[in-house]
Amino acid sequence: MASVQMASAAGAERPIYAKVSHVIPELEWGVHAPYVRAINEIKRRKNAVILAHNYMTPEIFHCVADFVGDSLQLAREAAKTQANTIVQAGVHFMAETAKILSPQKTVLIPDPRAGCSLAASITPADVRLLKERFPGIPVVTYVNTSAAVKAESDVCCTSSNAAAVVEDIARERGVNTVIMIPDEYLAQNVSRQTAVKILSWKGRCEVHERFSAADIRAYREANPGIFVLAHPECPPEVIAEADFAGSTSAMIGYVGRHRPARVVMVTECSMSDNVAVEFPDVEFVRPCNLCPHMKRITLPGILHALETMTVEVTVDPAITARARASVERMLAVGVPKRSLLAA
Ligand code: 13P
Ligand code: SF4
């Protein structure tokens, strides 16, 4: 790759390395550094921004990203960025959301195969059938879905605002039941937070469904006094055993505010590495469930995307208009102060 010069880059990027040195070994940094330099140079030249999800590996999250966050924060950033090009360091539904909110911009995804088991669990035809079966019941759709599914929905939600969105749409439509798709566990966890009745779908996150209540008890037994934070895509039995549940950014915010001495984040592997960089005084116990889709995004892939301006994410304009209404409705609801389960 022409723009990657191995010899000097590792040295020139030392100040960036100082930040991540306790989560990236020196030897590994020698491989990353030339890519970090080349990416930071090309994105300035092309007026591009990199939006990186909290599950990106530390060399992406801390060394080349312009904005980091959970799904909601990335969507907000995509809506307001002044850059010509957005590189989505995340999965495909996130890139589609960016395109829906900024249709005039070029949105690139380094690997279009970066999918999501939740997004794959439901089609627009499924949503049309649900609406036929439950006429008048609004459809609340998790952002972890395709643009075409969002287009069939009344409103979107993320893990940081799901209960607030459910209550808002129920109030507005004067109903006490909503359909919430496609995450069965998120729907069950949210239904414990609201009096609104929730009809759910059988989708699951392949990363979070693997955690069990027995895992949480085992972490506590092996690490007395440990603080357990869990993502609301986990089964309800896991959330019941946790000290705090919230979106990826809500978990980071919690650690920042409370600085527990020892923490386990019951979510994707890279989260703990990224947060450990910010809070070196906190000890992280790291069970590892990897999202194979998120891990398709790499530094070489990001550089290639910027050099070739591929792979461009497109959304049919007819779908964009309807999906955008659902996403914008969600953005108008905002993020509530309370989380799913706060200690
Ligand atoms: P967040 O919105 O909490 O970052 O979650 C996105 C996701 O894909 C979690 O698995
Ligand atoms: Fe989808 Fe789960 Fe991966 Fe998030 S962690 S992108 S919900 S498969």
Side-chain angles (χ1 to χ4, degrees), residues 53 55 70-71 93-94 142 144 159 208 231 233 247-248 294:
H53 185 259
Y55 292 161
D70 63 13
S71 307
F93 75 79
M94 294 176 177
Y142 196 30
N144 297 39
S159 58
H208 292 95
H231 194 276
E233 290 169 10
S247 79
T248 53
M294 291 279 182

Side-chain angles (χ1 to χ4, degrees), residues 317-334:
I319 288 177
T320 296
R322 292 162 62 220
R324 189 182 171 116
S326 301
V327 176
E328 283 185 339
R329 210 205 133 95
M330 165 188 83
L331 293 177
V333 174

Side-chain angles (χ1 to χ4, degrees), residues 158-194:
T158 74
S159 58
S160 62
N161 61 12
V165 167
V166 163
E167 287 181 354
D168 184 75
I169 192 92
R171 193 169 41 244
E172 192 218 76
R173 301 286 165 92
V175 294
N176 63 2
T177 304
V178 305
I179 297 166
M180 190 172 174
I181 54 172
D183 189 339
E184 173 181 30
Y185 289 151
L186 180 69
Q188 288 169 8
N189 289 324
V190 169
S191 72
R192 285 172 170 74
Q193 301 291 303
T194 173

